[in-house]
Amino acid sequence: MATSAPTAVAEAVTVAVTAAGKNQLFLGSFVDSAKLDELRYLHDAAVAVDAAGTIIAIEQPCDEQKARLTVLPRLGWAADAVEVHVAKPGQFFFPGFIDTHLHASQYPNVGIFGKSTLLDWLNTYTFPLEASLADPSKARQVYSRVIRKTLSHGTTCAAYYATVDVASTNLLADLCVAAGQRALVGRVCMDQLSPAYYRDESPETALAATRASIAHISAIDPELALVRPVLTPRFAPSCSAPLMRGLGALAAEMPHLPIQTHISENTNEIALVRELFPPTSTGAPDDSYAAVYDAFGLLTDRTILAHGVHLSEAEADLIAARRAKVSHCPCSNSAITSGAARVRWLLDKHISCGLGTDMSGGYSPSVLEAARLAALVSRHVAMGGDEKAKLSVEEVLFLATRGGADVVGLADVVGAFAVGMHWDAQLVGLGDVNADGEVEGDQDEDNNVDVFGWETWPERVAKWVYNGDDRNTKRVWVKGRLVHERK
Ligand code: GUN
Ligand code: FE
């Protein structure tokens, strides 16, 4: 408990108990990111969450008795109307993970990529599968399972690509609302270079289909409380200039909408973009990939750029100037041999970064795995000569939570524990050992993290990052609602 902050952090609030849900009180240890390279440890703390799922008080130190005597009366909460959750020894609450880039439609293909690289992988494995999800029953099966699986790994918010098909894209949004997962849901725009069986017929039909999907998602969640539509040009090679121009215009017309796409993932892809979009055709000042998106009005502070493995200095400076964000996808970048993204270099340029599983370019649905791989890939970058490229446990957990929240435009809403933010959280269980070395808590359960009892809290968290998995994810909440419980 070495890094426990002993100061009391009581926050004054006034609340009305709403009939919509139950007020909740969470008690125990809470860990979140104070800043990029620092975790905050709040032990013996209480977090009060109102019926709408908003954190309205954080008190420390505070046990259940003190909470009942002081916190509940102050909040005006009747004791018997509050649901109390007490973390067991060895357990801690952690913000839910944010997966800033994944393809819900590709989930059945995880692990199936052979020795392919991006462009042949798309044609061999990806387009046939995505096209097949126009079958509504198949889409329902795949999307239900990807939501359940990612929730079980602690992903409370996901930036999803669906497919070209409007009906099944809309179904993905419906299923997210039903399961309670926070999500960005994008209908994939692509009107060129893919097989005829899987592409938008024209820029006009692509834009109409995009509007139809935006209308549906906005209708099922009018306040965008949980699910938001996201403009999704697949990547520059898949989109004609008129489609890109149209999407840029749509982005300007709907300034609340985020945008997601891929950039500079693979060297052959970059060469293709140069060939397809010469500056003479786009009006861009140079032939870089970032300049192409910028020329079409798609490089904005709402833009999530996946990969960014081979960006030039000038491109990174342009991305920083536009305040566009980067989703780092170390699993995918390794699996389909795209390269090692230089995350430290991006962070040093003040580019906001988060983590993406990029299923199924990446083979794992777990953001914890993405964090572990971000740490490892950064060591490969370091072995290339840049010692300071290494990312710490604290840094990869920041990317998985607060970094990701900023990338998806929710920095004030999720990613940490603070009054006013939503309770998007996971209960992590690592087990515990008492002073006599006897096993307590969950240690005896099937679990890949062995705690001996002498580890400091930062050491326990490091063991979770390097050896943990969904067996350690005991419960998951989104906006106060319990959305996963490990049986
Ligand atoms: N570039 C264009 N489409 C894709 C995709 O589905 N996955 C990845 N990793 N890169 C892409
Ligand atoms: Fe991707």
Side-chain angles (χ1 to χ4, degrees):
M1 324 263 163
T3 53
S4 169
T7 46
V9 282
E11 310 262 8
V13 276
T14 37
V15 278
V17 178
T18 70
K22 243 188 169 176
N23 294 318
Q24 298 179 88
L25 187 66
F26 295 87
L27 296 155
S29 292
F30 298 77
V31 183
D32 66 358
S33 288
K35 53 190 170 94
L36 175 63
D37 57 358
E38 187 182 319
L39 287 170
R40 172 178 70 151
Y41 295 82
L42 277 181
H43 298 294
D44 305 315
V47 172
V49 175
D50 72 10
T54 303
I55 298 173
I56 55 157
I58 300 177
E59 184 108 353
Q60 193 231 25
C62 185
D63 60 12
E64 185 166 354
Q65 193 186 9
K66 181 178 168 194
R68 289 193 180 282
L69 283 174
T70 64
V71 181
L72 301 191
R74 196 177 78 227
L75 299 176
W77 289 2
D80 57 356
V82 178
E83 210 169 282
V84 179
H85 309 260
V86 185
K88 292 192 218 162
Q91 296 186 335
F92 60 93
F93 296 100
F94 195 78
F97 288 135
I98 293 157
D99 190 339
T100 59
H101 180 81
L102 76 164
H103 301 260
S105 49
Q106 296 172 16
Y107 180 47
N109 271 359
V110 282
I112 304 173
F113 52 92
K115 288 187 174 178
S116 61
T117 51
L118 179 63
L119 299 179
D120 55 313
W121 171 79
L122 284 171
N123 282 309
T124 309
Y125 301 97
T126 308
F127 294 149
L129 173 62
E130 289 191 20
S132 75
L133 293 208
D135 170 357
S137 68
K138 187 169 180 183
R140 178 176 291 275
Q141 187 198 5
V142 170
Y143 291 154
S144 302
R145 286 176 68 168
V146 74
I147 292 167
R148 234 184 296 135
K149 178 62 77 175
T150 52
L151 283 174
S152 76
H153 282 272
T155 300
T156 50
C157 178
Y160 284 124
Y161 288 56
T163 70
V164 167
D165 185 60
V166 174
S168 55
T169 298
N170 293 348
L171 176 65
L172 173 59
D174 296 344
L175 293 170
C176 288
V177 171
Q181 187 173 47
R182 203 181 284 278
L184 278 59
V185 176
R187 191 203 76 92
V188 178
C189 295
M190 46 193 285
D191 69 339
Q192 64 175 24
L193 285 194
S194 56
Y197 68 81
Y198 189 54
R199 69 164 92 123
D200 288 305
E201 256 172 47
S202 67
E204 293 75 26
T205 59
L207 291 166
T210 299
R211 282 184 185 275
S213 186
I214 292 167
H216 175 84
I217 299 168
S218 306
I220 59 171
D221 192 355
E223 288 169 14
L224 307 179
L226 212 58
V227 176
R228 288 184 297 160
V230 49
L231 294 173
T232 307
R234 177 168 211 126
F235 68 156
S238 285
C239 298
S240 65
L243 177 53
M244 298 259 264
R245 204 167 292 118
L247 288 169
L250 204 49
E253 178 190 322
M254 301 184 178
H256 62 289
L257 285 194
I259 303 160
Q260 60 182 0
T261 190
H262 299 81
I263 196 170
S264 200
E265 176 177 2
N266 163 289
T267 49
N268 290 330
E269 169 212 17
I270 295 164
L272 185 58
V273 172
R274 282 222 163 87
E275 209 178 289
L276 291 168
F277 296 99
T280 45
S281 78
T282 60
D286 60 63
D287 65 354
S288 76
Y289 205 150
V292 171
Y293 287 136
D294 196 42
F296 290 115
L298 291 167
L299 197 67
T300 73
D301 61 356
R302 303 171 272 140
T303 305
I304 306 166
L305 299 164
H307 303 285
V309 175
H310 305 284
L311 294 168
S312 68
E313 199 77 35
E315 284 180 296
D317 290 340
L318 177 61
I319 289 167
R322 298 289 181 264
R323 295 176 48 233
K325 327 293 188 203
V326 170
S327 171
H328 175 45
C329 304
C331 188
S332 169
N333 293 343
S334 303
I336 56 172
T337 37
S338 300
R342 295 173 294 159
V343 176
R344 173 75 62 211
W345 172 71
L346 296 171
L347 292 171
D348 284 348
K349 288 182 180 290
H350 305 290
I351 294 171
S352 185
C353 296
L355 296 179
T357 60
D358 191 25
M359 287 197 290
S360 64
Y363 52 77
S364 170
S366 161
V367 174
L368 190 67
E369 175 85 35
R372 171 155 65 228
L373 290 170
L376 289 182
V377 166
S378 76
R379 279 154 178 77
H380 283 277
V381 176
M383 287 185 267
D386 179 12
E387 180 63 21
K388 73 174 193 16
K390 282 188 203 178
L391 298 173
S392 65
V393 162
E394 289 75 10
E395 288 173 320
V396 295
L397 289 176
F398 178 95
L399 297 180
T401 55
R402 283 183 66 183
D406 192 52
V407 166
V408 300
L410 295 172
D412 298 332
V413 184
V414 294
F417 300 131
V419 170
M421 293 178 88
H422 292 178
W423 180 252
D424 282 26
Q426 51 186 315
L427 178 64
V428 179
L430 301 182
D432 201 14
V433 176
N434 69 19
D436 300 324
E438 289 161 352
V439 168
E440 291 182 345
D442 291 316
Q443 185 97 320
D444 54 342
E445 277 183 20
D446 180 24
N447 169 8
N448 200 44
V449 183
D450 272 334
V451 175
F452 288 81
W454 55 69
E455 297 92 341
T456 63
W457 270 89
E459 288 169 343
R460 286 171 190 224
V461 169
K463 290 178 85 157
W464 173 49
V465 167
Y466 284 110
N467 274 320
D469 56 36
D470 54 330
R471 286 169 288 186
N472 304 108
T473 310
K474 305 297 182 190
R475 287 179 173 197
V476 181
W477 296 263
V478 175
K479 217 164 173 277
R481 173 179 167 192
L482 185 67
V483 290
H484 170 72
E485 182 164 20
R486 192 173 171 80
K487 301 291 183 200

